Each structure stands twice: as structure tokens, then as C-alpha cells.
Amino acid sequence: MLAYALSPFLAAWSMKHGPVLPGRWRWFSTLNADLDGYTPQRVAGFDPAAKGFKLWWQRTRWTWRNPYNGWHPKR
């Protein structure tokens, strides 16, 4: 639940600093991609040319896709 609440703020931070979350905040990202992971993975509904609000919304949704992924044990 915390990841869902923090995602909009993390996405807002990324709009100024880039799609890679710093330090321990990266725990809220997926392990295999930054917040723009939809681009190389070609996830339907994500626009690689998005800017502004649309980019913020995509990054928020990307974080929701796999919340707390950084805390999952390695298999």
C-alpha cells in the first residue's frame, strides 16, 4: 500500500532528476528497468515520446506495476 501512495511523489521527483530512483528509493522500482521501463519492454498503452503530465502518469503507473519489487528476495 505504501508503494501506491508514494508512487506519484516518486514519479514527480523523477521528472526533474531522471527515471532512476536514488539509493533506497530504488526499492520501489522494478529490478530490471528504470521508471521508463515500458519503452524497451513495449508495454501496451505506454508512449515512449510522452512528456509532462503524460510522462508523470506513465511513471506512476510503472511503479504501481510491481510495487516493492526491490524488496523481493532473489530466487
Side-chain angles (χ1 to χ4, degrees):
M1 190 63 153
L2 181 62
Y4 292 104
L6 288 177
S7 292
F9 300 104
L10 296 172
W13 182 91
S14 76
M15 295 299 291
K16 182 171 182 173
H17 300 287
V20 177
L21 297 173
R24 292 186 174 152
W25 291 108
R26 185 132 174 94
W27 290 342
F28 292 94
S29 298
T30 56
L31 296 174
N32 62 346
D34 59 23
L35 295 181
D36 291 332
Y38 57 83
T39 301
Q41 294 184 21
R42 298 186 177 153
V43 175
F46 287 90
D47 178 4
K51 297 195 183 322
F53 178 80
K54 187 174 184 180
L55 179 60
W56 170 83
W57 181 237
Q58 288 183 168
R59 288 179 176 180
T60 299
R61 289 174 39 216
W62 185 256
T63 306
W64 288 346
R65 178 180 171 264
N66 232 350
Y68 300 123
N69 195 23
W71 284 316
H72 289 205
K74 296 195 181 356
R75 297 169 212 239

